Amino acid sequence: MSRIPRLPAALTLALALAACSAPGDSGSDSADSSGPIKIAVVDAQSGQLSSLGDWEYKGAKLAVDEWNKKGGIDGRKIQLKLFDDQGDPTTGTNIARKLADENYIAMIGTAESAVTIAMGPVLQQAKIPNITSGQSDGLVALKSPYLFLNGPTSTTYDTTLAEYLIKEKGHQKIAMITNNGSFGKGEHDAFLKAVGDLGVKPSTDQVVTTDQKEFSAALTKIRSTKPEVIFIGSEEVEAGLIVKQARDLGITAPFAGAAPQGTPVFIDTAGKAAAEGTIVSSPYLSNDVSDASKKFAAAYQTAYGEEAEMHGAKAYDGANILLTALQTSKGATGEELADAIRATRYEGLLGDFQYDETGVGITRTTIGVIRDGKLVPQQ
C-alpha cells in the first residue's frame, strides 16, 4: 500500500488560512464564486435620521435594479441587502464586523458621518470598499484607501456658501447655530474658516446638542445681534425645528446651510412659510437641471411613487460608480476593487466624478433657494 505523504505543518496552516481568507481578499468565496455579488447598504432606517436612510437605499436599489435588468456584472446578479445602523456609531461598527464575516465585497452608506467614521477601521482592515454619503471632513482625515465620498465635503459646501453670502450678497452680520455632532461640528468648522478667510467674524456662534428640541436660549442670543443671515449646521429635523422656533420668536433673517436644508423633511418640519427664502449650497438642486436628472427622477417616481431628491441621487451615483468599477475590474474585490473605484471617471447626477487619493471625487456645489416649498436654482 502506498503512503499518503504528510504535509509540512507550515504548509497545512497556510492552506487553512487561505480557506478562511478575509471578505475583501481576492481569495474569498465572493470573489471566486459565479453566484451573486453581495453588496450592503448601511443607513438609518429608524430614528430621526431614517428619512436619509430611506432615500439612500432607494437611490442605490434603483441603480442595482437597472444593472440587474441588463444582466448584472458579467452575468452575475447583484445582491443588495439593507442594514439599519439606527444612526448609532456602535451599531454601525457591529454591522461592519458582520459584513466582514459574511463576505460582503462592498458597502454603500452611511449618510451619517459619525457612523461611517466609526465603521472605517473595520472596513479598512477587512478590505471592503465603502462609498459613503457623509460629508464631514473627518471622513477624509481617516485616510482610508477604502473610503470614497459620493459628494463634496463640508469644506466645499460651506466655502461656496460663504463666498455667495459675503461676496455676492454683501452680508457682514452673519450668525451661526450648529450642533455638536459629527455633521454639525464639521459644518461649524468649515463655515467658520470660510467666512474668516473672507474677513468676517460671526455676530454670534451658538452650539446646541444633537438631541435638543427647544432652542429659545440660543435663538434669543441670535436675535439680539440682528443678523442679516443665519448659518445653520444641523440635520433635517433639528434644523427645521430651529427655523420654526426662530420665526415664532420674530426672527425674520433668512437661514443658510448645506444639503439638509434642501430636503423635503427640513421644509415640512420648519413649515413652508418659515422655510421660505432659505439659501442652500448643494451639488444637486433640482430634478429638472439636466436630461440625466429628469430621467433619474422619472425612474425613481415609477419605482417608488414619490419624488426624488439629492440623497437618493447621491446614492444612485455612488452605486453606479461602484458597479462600473466592478465591471471594469471583472468583479474584483478588496484592494483591486478599491483601485478600480479610484480610477473610475463617472459623469453623474451631481457632476463629473474623478477621485483623488483622499477619496473625494467631486468638489463643486451651486447655490439654490427655497421658493414656495421647493429648492430651486438661485437666479
Side-chain angles (χ1 to χ4, degrees), residues 154-224:
S154 290
T155 292
T156 296
Y157 280 98
D158 297 330
T159 298
T160 302
L161 184 60
E163 288 179 349
Y164 173 78
L165 296 176
I166 296 169
K167 290 184 176 181
E168 293 193 35
K169 303 299 290 184
H171 294 315
Q172 295 293 308
K173 295 185 68 176
I174 302 174
M176 293 178 61
I177 181 167
T178 59
N179 70 35
N180 62 357
S182 178
F183 172 79
K185 187 178 186 308
E187 288 293 288
H188 172 277
D189 294 350
F191 187 76
L192 187 63
K193 182 181 186 305
V195 295
D197 289 344
L198 295 172
V200 172
K201 182 179 179 181
S203 59
T204 185
D205 182 358
Q206 299 295 312
V207 178
V208 298
T209 64
T210 55
D211 58 354
Q212 199 165 325
K213 300 293 188 295
E214 205 282 323
F215 308 96
S216 59
L219 291 171
T220 298
K221 291 178 182 177
I222 287 173
R223 184 179 61 183
S224 69

Side-chain angles (χ1 to χ4, degrees), residues 52 55 135 157-158 161 177 179 183 187 230-243 255-268 270 275-282 285 309-311 368-371 373-376:
L52 298 182
W55 292 326
Q135 67 185 60
Y157 280 98
D158 297 330
L161 184 60
I177 181 167
N179 70 35
F183 172 79
E187 288 293 288
I230 304 165
F231 173 77
I232 184 167
S234 180
E235 294 85 351
E236 288 78 359
V237 173
E238 185 176 69
L241 292 174
I242 288 171
V243 172
F255 281 81
Q261 283 67 63
T263 65
V265 170
F266 165 76
I267 296 168
D268 291 344
E276 183 74 8
T278 299
I279 302 160
V280 180
S281 173
S282 174
L285 294 177
E309 54 73 69
M310 189 200 71
H311 292 87
V369 64
I370 294 175
R371 298 291 185 206
K374 296 283 186 180
L375 178 62
V376 297

Side-chain angles (χ1 to χ4, degrees), residues 84-108:
D84 180 9
D85 63 43
Q86 303 173 26
D88 175 61
T90 301
T91 302
T93 301
N94 290 335
I95 291 172
R97 296 190 183 103
K98 184 178 181 68
L99 301 187
D101 291 341
E102 297 184 1
N103 290 332
Y104 283 85
I105 62 129
M107 172 182 142
I108 298 169

Side-chain angles (χ1 to χ4, degrees), residues 21 57 73 81 107 130 165 300 310 312 326:
S21 56
Y57 175 63
I73 305 294
K81 184 172 180 180
M107 172 182 142
N130 173 203
L165 296 176
Y300 193 100
M310 189 200 71
L326 276 167

Side-chain angles (χ1 to χ4, degrees), residues 327-347:
Q327 185 178 57
T328 58
S329 66
K330 306 297 183 183
T333 61
E335 183 178 356
E336 188 179 347
L337 176 56
D339 289 341
I341 294 171
R342 194 170 294 105
T344 298
R345 305 292 177 261
Y346 180 76
E347 188 175 342

Side-chain angles (χ1 to χ4, degrees), residues 40-53:
V41 175
V42 182
D43 264 307
Q45 298 297 303
S46 55
Q48 187 168 292
L49 300 175
S50 60
S51 58
L52 298 182

